[in-house]
C-alpha cells in the first residue's frame, strides 16, 4: 500500500468530475474501489465528503487514500504519427480556434473514433496534429457519424472540454444540419418526436424507433427548397443527441437522406442522375456559450464537394436558407 496523498486540482483540471480526475491521475484504480472510498469518506475534497460526479475547482485539495499495490497499468498507447498530408488536411479543416476551443469542418468519410478493425484511422488517434502550441492534445466534445460532414467541436484543455460537454448535456448547445432527401414531406415544417433504441445483434451499429423502451428523441425540420417531388433540401435541428437520430427520423417521414443505404436502402438513391451516392448529411452550424468568456460562439461549416455538386444539380441556392437556427427560434 502507498501512503495517504493530498493533491491539488490544477487550473487545467477545473470543472472535471471527481471520478474523471481520479482516472487521469490513477488509471489503474477501479471504479468500484473509488466508489467504496467515497461511501466511507476516505476520499475528501477540501476536507469534505464528495461524490463521483462532483465538479472540481482549481486549487481544491483532494485526499487520496493509500493505493493498493498491484500489477502495473498497461502503458498508454503511443501517439500516432500523422503523415504530413493528413496533418495538413486536418489543419485546413479548422474553422475556428482560440486558447480553449477548436472547431473543425470534418470531411465525410473520416471516422471520429475507433472501432473494430479500424486501427488508428480515425480522428481521435490523430489529434496530436491539432495540438499547435498547446501543452495538451485537444479532446473530442461530441461525435459525428463517419459519413456525416460538418462542424465538430474540440476542447483544448480538460477544463474547457468539461464545460463544452456540459453545454451539450444541458442543451445549451444548438446544432443545425442540412440534408438532401429523396421525396417531399407532407408538411413543409414540423416536429418529429419518436423514441429510439439500439438494435441488438452483431454487425454495424443501427437504431430503430421504439415506442416502449426507446430514448426520447426530438427533431425540428423545415423544407428550404425542393425539386418537384423528387428531392428536398431540409434544415433540421435535433433537440436531443441520439445515435443516427436524423437519419432514422427522415426515414420515418418517408424521405430517406440521399446516399443513406443503411436506413433507406435503394430508395435513398436517385439513379441515372449522376448525383453522388455518398451520404448527403452536413452539420451546418453550431451555437453554444464559449467555455471561458460565456459569449455566444457560432460557427458555420461550408458544404463538402459532393453535396455542393448536388445543390447545383437540383438548383438549390445556399443563401435561401437564411441564418442558421432562425427558423426554429420560436419553437
Amino acid at each position: 500500500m502507498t501512503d495517504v496523498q493530498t493533491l491539488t486540482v490544477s487550473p487545467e483540471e477545473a470543472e472535471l468530475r471527481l471520478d474523471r480526475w481520479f482516472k487521469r491521475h490513477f488509471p489503474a484504480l477501479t471504479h468500484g474501489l473509488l466508489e467504496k472510498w467515497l461511501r466511507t469518506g476516505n476520499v475528501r475534497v477540501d476536507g469534505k465528503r464528495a461524490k463521483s460526479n462532483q465538479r472540481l475547482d482549481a486549487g481544491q485539495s483532494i485526499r487520496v487514500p493509500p493505493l493498493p499495490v498491484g500489477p502495473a497499468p498497461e502503458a498508454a498507447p503511443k501517439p500516432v504519427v500523422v503523415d504530413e498530408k493528413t496533418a495538413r488536411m486536418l489543419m485546413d479543416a479548422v474553422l475556428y480556434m482560440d486558447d480553449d476551443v477548436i472547431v473543425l469542418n470534418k470531411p465525410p468519410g473520416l471516422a471520429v473514433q475507433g472501432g473494430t478493425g479500424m486501427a488508428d484511422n480515425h480522428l481521435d488517434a490523430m489529434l496530436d496534429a491539432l495540438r499547435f502550441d498547446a501543452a495538451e492534445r485537444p479532446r473530442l466534445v461530441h461525435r459525428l457519424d463517419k459519413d456525416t460532414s460538418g462542424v465538430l467541436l474540440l476542447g483544448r484543455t480538460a477544463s474547457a472540454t468539461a464545460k463544452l460537454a456540459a453545454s451539450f448535456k444541458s442543451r445549451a448547445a444548438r446544432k443545425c444540419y442540412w440534408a438532401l432527401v429523396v421525396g417531399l414531406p407532407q408538411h413543409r415544417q414540423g416536429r418529429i418526436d419518436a423514441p429510439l433504441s439500439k438494435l441488438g445483434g452483431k454487425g454495424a451499429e443501427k437504431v430503430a424507433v421504439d415506442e416502449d423502451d426507446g430514448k426520447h428523441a426530438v427533431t425540428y425540420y423545415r423544407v428550404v427548397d425542393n425539386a418537384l417531388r423528387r428531392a428536398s433540401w431540409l434544415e433540421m435541428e435535433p433537440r436531443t443527441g441520439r445515435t443516427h437520430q436524423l437519419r432514422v427520423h427522415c426515414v420515418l417521414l418517408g424521405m430517406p437522406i440521399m446516399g443513406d443505404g443503411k436506413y433507406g436502402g435503394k430508395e435513398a438513391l436517385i439513379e441515372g442522375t449522376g448525383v453522388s451516392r455518398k451520404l448527403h448529411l452536413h452539420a451546418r452550424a453550431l451555437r453554444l456559450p464559449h467555455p471561458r468568456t460565456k459569449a455566444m460562439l457560432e460557427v458555420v461549416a461550408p458544404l463538402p464537394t459532393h453535396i455542393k455538386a448536388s445543390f447545383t444539380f437540383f438548383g438549390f441556392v445556399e443563401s435561401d436558407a437564411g441564418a442558421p437556427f432562425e427558423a426554429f427560434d420560436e419553437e
Side-chain angles (χ1 to χ4, degrees), residues 167-216:
S167 291
F168 276 79
K169 187 175 182 179
S170 68
R171 300 181 187 173
R174 296 180 67 181
K175 297 169 284 185
C176 172
Y177 286 77
W178 284 2
L180 295 188
V181 299
V182 179
L184 178 66
Q186 180 180 1
H187 303 288
R188 297 188 70 90
Q189 186 160 339
R191 179 180 186 269
I192 307 164
D193 187 346
L196 303 174
S197 64
K198 293 184 179 180
L199 298 176
K202 298 180 180 179
E205 186 176 51
K206 199 169 183 180
V207 303
V209 175
D210 184 345
E211 295 290 350
D212 296 323
D213 301 314
K215 293 183 178 180
H216 182 58

Side-chain angles (χ1 to χ4, degrees), residues 223-237:
V223 177
V224 181
D225 200 357
N226 64 283
L228 300 177
R229 301 189 66 83
R230 197 174 197 186
S232 299
W233 165 19
L234 298 189
E235 181 178 42
M236 297 182 286
E237 182 178 345

Side-chain angles (χ1 to χ4, degrees), residues 19-230:
D19 54 358
R20 291 173 184 162
W21 182 91
F22 267 93
K23 190 67 176 176
R24 284 169 63 102
H25 288 267
F26 308 102
L29 179 67
T30 65
H31 183 73
L33 181 55
L34 174 59
E35 289 292 345
K36 180 180 179 180
W37 283 349
L38 291 166
R39 287 195 305 272
T40 56
N42 281 301
V43 169
R44 300 266 175 164
V45 177
D46 283 347
K48 299 177 182 178
R49 285 178 174 263
K51 294 184 178 181
S52 61
N53 63 353
Q54 176 175 328
R55 298 284 177 179
L56 300 172
D57 294 324
Q60 286 185 311
S61 62
I62 299 179
R63 180 189 188 274
V64 180
L67 296 167
V69 177
E74 295 183 9
K78 294 181 180 179
V80 174
V81 178
V82 181
D83 62 83
E84 186 176 345
K85 181 180 179 181
T86 302
R88 175 50 55 191
M89 178 271 291
L90 293 174
M91 289 187 281
D92 288 345
V94 173
L95 297 170
Y96 174 86
M97 183 173 71
D98 61 25
D99 291 341
D100 306 282
V101 177
I102 295 176
V103 185
L104 297 180
N105 184 9
K106 187 190 85 66
L110 175 62
V112 172
Q113 289 182 303
T116 303
M118 289 190 62
D120 296 321
N121 189 28
H122 56 88
L123 178 62
D124 198 24
M126 306 174 185
L127 289 178
D128 277 306
L130 294 172
R131 185 190 291 260
F132 297 102
D133 57 349
E136 305 175 54
R137 77 194 305 260
R139 298 169 174 84
L140 295 168
V141 175
H142 63 121
R143 293 176 55 187
L144 291 177
D145 293 345
K146 177 180 178 181
D147 296 319
T148 301
S149 58
V151 177
L152 185 70
L153 187 65
L154 308 175
R156 299 194 73 190
T157 67
S159 174
T161 303
K163 291 176 182 177
L164 293 166
S167 291
F168 276 79
K169 187 175 182 179
S170 68
R171 300 181 187 173
R174 296 180 67 181
K175 297 169 284 185
C176 172
Y177 286 77
W178 284 2
L180 295 188
V181 299
V182 179
L184 178 66
Q186 180 180 1
H187 303 288
R188 297 188 70 90
Q189 186 160 339
R191 179 180 186 269
I192 307 164
D193 187 346
L196 303 174
S197 64
K198 293 184 179 180
L199 298 176
K202 298 180 180 179
E205 186 176 51
K206 199 169 183 180
V207 303
V209 175
D210 184 345
E211 295 290 350
D212 296 323
D213 301 314
K215 293 183 178 180
H216 182 58
V218 173
T219 303
Y220 285 88
Y221 77 91
R222 72 178 182 109
V223 177
V224 181
D225 200 357
N226 64 283
L228 300 177
R229 301 189 66 83
R230 197 174 197 186

